[in-house]
C-alpha cells in the first residue's frame, strides 16, 4: 500500500511558475513509475509527466513539454513538478499516481496506475 499526498497548488498569473510536491509513504519507492496527471473542468484526466523511480527516465505530455520538469528526491521519497510559463489552460486539479511495474517507458494511461493522491488545485489567471 502506498499513500500519496500532493501539495504546492495555488493561484498564479499566466507566465508564472509553481512547484508541486508529491510525498509517498507506506513503502520506499523502487521498481515504480510515479506520474503527474491533471483534470481540468469538463475534461478527461490527462497525463502530464512521469518518471521511473530507479533510473529516472522521464516522459512528458505534449502540452507541457519544454515548460514542466519532473524530478524525484530518493531520500525524501518525494516527486516534484516544476511548472513554468504557466497558461490559463494549465488550470486543473493535479494528481500524483504510482504503480509498480517493469519496463523503462513511463505509462501514460491513467488505468496503468494503482495508487492516487487526493489532488491539488492549480489555477492560472489570465
Amino acid at each position: 500500500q502506498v499513500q500519496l499526498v500532493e501539495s504546492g497548488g495555488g493561484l498564479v498569473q499566466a507566465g508564472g511558475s509553481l512547484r508541486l510536491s508529491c510525498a509517498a509513504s507506506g513503502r520506499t519507492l523502487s521498481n515504480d513509475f510515479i506520474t503527474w496527471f491533471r483534470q481540468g473542468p469538463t475534461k478527461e484526466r490527462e497525463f502530464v509527466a512521469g518518471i521511473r523511480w530507479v533510473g529516472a527516465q522521464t516522459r512528458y505530455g505534449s502540452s507541457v513539454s519544454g515548460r514542466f520538469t519532473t524530478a524525484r528526491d530518493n531520500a525524501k521519497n518525494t516527486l516534484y513538478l516544476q511548472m513554468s510559463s504557466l497558461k490559463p489552460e494549465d488550470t486543473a486539479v493535479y494528481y500524483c499516481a504510482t504503480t509498480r511495474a517493469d519496463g523503462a517507458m513511463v505509462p501514460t494511461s491513467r488505468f496503468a496506475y494503482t495508487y492516487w493522491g487526493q489532488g491539488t488545485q492549480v489555477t492560472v489567471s489570465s
Side-chain angles (χ1 to χ4, degrees), residues 71-82:
R72 88 271 191 262
D73 184 323
N74 279 337
K76 295 182 179 180
N77 226 29
T78 297
L79 177 72
Y80 300 99
L81 183 68
Q82 179 66 47

Side-chain angles (χ1 to χ4, degrees), residues 27-120:
R27 61 171 171 81
T28 301
L29 297 177
S30 56
N31 192 33
D32 300 271
F33 294 102
I34 186 164
T35 298
W36 294 99
F37 285 81
R38 67 184 182 186
Q39 189 164 14
T42 70
K43 294 183 180 178
E44 295 279 326
R45 194 163 294 192
E46 174 191 17
F47 171 80
V48 175
I51 193 168
R52 197 181 195 311
W53 197 261
V54 173
Q57 293 96 331
T58 56
R59 190 173 186 181
Y60 294 90
S62 57
S63 60
V64 306
S65 183
R67 298 187 298 123
F68 291 10
T69 302
T70 193
R72 88 271 191 262
D73 184 323
N74 279 337
K76 295 182 179 180
N77 226 29
T78 297
L79 177 72
Y80 300 99
L81 183 68
Q82 179 66 47
M83 305 184 293
S84 302
S85 303
L86 282 161
K87 305 174 182 179
E89 50 264 44
D90 294 318
T91 294
V93 177
Y94 283 71
Y95 297 92
C96 180
T98 189
T99 191
R100 174 156 280 186
D102 295 323
M105 187 72 77
V106 178
T108 60
S109 169
R110 61 188 176 96
F111 299 108
Y113 292 87
T114 307
Y115 302 104
W116 291 81
Q118 83 289 348
T120 186

